[in-house]
Amino acid sequence: MKVIIGIGGITNGGKTTLTNRLMQALPNCSVVHQDDFFKPQDEIEVEDGFKQYDVISALDMDAMMSTINAWKKNPVKFERSHGINTLDSRTIEESEDNDNIHILIVEGFLLYTYRPLIDVFDYRYFLSIPYEECKRRRSSRNYTVPDPPGLFDGHVWPMYVKHKNLMEDLNIDVVQLDGTKSREELFNEVYGHIQNSLEELVKLLGLSSSFFQLPVVRQLEF
């Protein structure tokens, strides 16, 4: 069984931290980071004096979808190629009856406004934090390409609001998360929701209760 989880939301909202923790806790879990698919800098459009990074055209979405489809075709091969220990010793092609669950987390800031990507998710989560907190976190981060003066107010925040509104207009089914909660609280909330959802799915499919059981989570340092 294959499950794809989206961890989306605002910049500096805690997406990567949550994703990393889930990867440690979930079985046979791979990750695709949307930030890995930015186009070269000379292909990023400039508007109002700012490079337009926070728009879908700044990303090579074809390459991102190809990566996700490679996982869907053969998650075991994908896991092995990315150095992930898998519980399944066989490739998907070798058995029509897939004995294990395989999970892909897709993490990024523009997951829920691009229809081909929206449709691949089984579960969607969206992290939000208030303007002042987001600006404070953003200013404390060191980026490879530093933010020019005025970028946050002139581009980053307006684009976040625009895309959040578009997501809501599209009536996307997402679980809203409060990014001001502690890392432990956020992890427990999402992990618990995933566990309950997958247990319900297993029952719905009429599979044995032994098919799926998430491990007991030990306390991990962030």
Side-chain angles (χ1 to χ4, degrees):
M1 186 166 71
K2 292 174 280 190
V3 175
I4 303 181
I5 299 167
I7 304 291
I10 194 168
T11 177
N12 296 280
K15 300 183 299 297
T16 303
T17 300
L18 176 59
T19 295
N20 289 341
R21 179 70 192 277
L22 289 170
M23 274 202 69
Q24 295 177 67
L26 295 171
N28 301 330
C29 186
S30 305
V31 65
V32 170
H33 296 285
Q34 192 172 43
D35 282 358
D36 291 340
F37 296 92
F38 275 112
K39 294 177 180 177
Q41 282 215 35
D42 59 2
E43 295 182 22
I44 305 295
E45 297 178 3
V46 178
E47 187 175 317
D48 298 327
F50 299 120
K51 288 267 191 179
Q52 300 293 295
Y53 286 105
D54 290 65
V55 295
I56 202 73
S57 61
L59 299 156
D60 187 343
M61 294 304 297
D62 288 340
M64 184 175 181
M65 293 304 302
S66 292
T67 301
I68 293 170
N69 288 331
W71 178 89
K72 290 173 67 178
K73 181 179 180 181
N74 193 329
V76 175
K77 183 177 180 180
F78 189 97
E79 289 159 7
R80 289 173 177 168
S81 69
H82 288 75
I84 297 168
N85 292 327
T86 177
L87 300 178
D88 194 343
S89 60
R90 299 166 300 173
T91 60
I92 297 303
E93 288 86 358
E94 291 172 344
S95 174
E96 293 181 2
D97 181 18
N98 186 16
D99 296 332
N100 290 301
I101 187 167
H102 296 270
I103 298 172
L104 177 67
I105 298 176
V106 181
E107 178 267 327
F109 66 106
L110 283 179
L111 300 187
Y112 308 131
T113 58
Y114 183 71
R115 178 55 68 180
L117 184 56
I118 294 170
D119 292 340
V120 306
F121 296 118
D122 298 289
Y123 308 108
R124 307 176 188 89
Y125 300 91
F126 189 87
L127 281 149
S128 299
I129 54 176
Y131 166 85
E132 291 294 344
E133 177 62 13
C134 185
K135 190 171 185 178
R136 183 192 67 78
R137 293 186 188 183
R138 179 91 180 194
S139 65
S140 67
R141 289 275 295 272
N142 293 318
Y143 290 95
T144 304
V145 180
D147 285 354
L151 179 69
F152 183 84
D153 288 312
H155 174 62
V156 174
W157 186 260
M159 287 299 101
Y160 160 69
V161 172
K162 176 181 177 179
H163 289 108
K164 185 174 185 291
N165 289 339
L166 178 57
M167 178 187 75
E168 292 171 351
D169 290 342
L170 291 171
N171 197 29
I172 305 302
D173 181 20
V174 299
V175 176
Q176 297 283 349
L177 301 173
D178 179 359
T180 64
K181 289 183 177 179
S182 71
R183 295 168 177 177
E184 194 68 22
E185 286 178 304
L186 282 170
F187 168 76
N188 288 336
E189 181 177 350
V190 175
Y191 186 82
H193 184 265
I194 292 171
Q195 183 177 39
N196 292 335
S197 298
L198 291 179
E199 286 175 352
E200 290 178 5
L201 180 60
V202 166
K203 291 178 182 177
L204 183 65
L205 295 174
L207 299 172
S208 168
S209 60
S210 62
F211 175 84
F212 171 73
Q213 185 175 3
L214 284 181
V216 175
V217 179
R218 59 188 177 87
Q219 294 298 314
L220 298 172
E221 294 183 1
F222 284 97

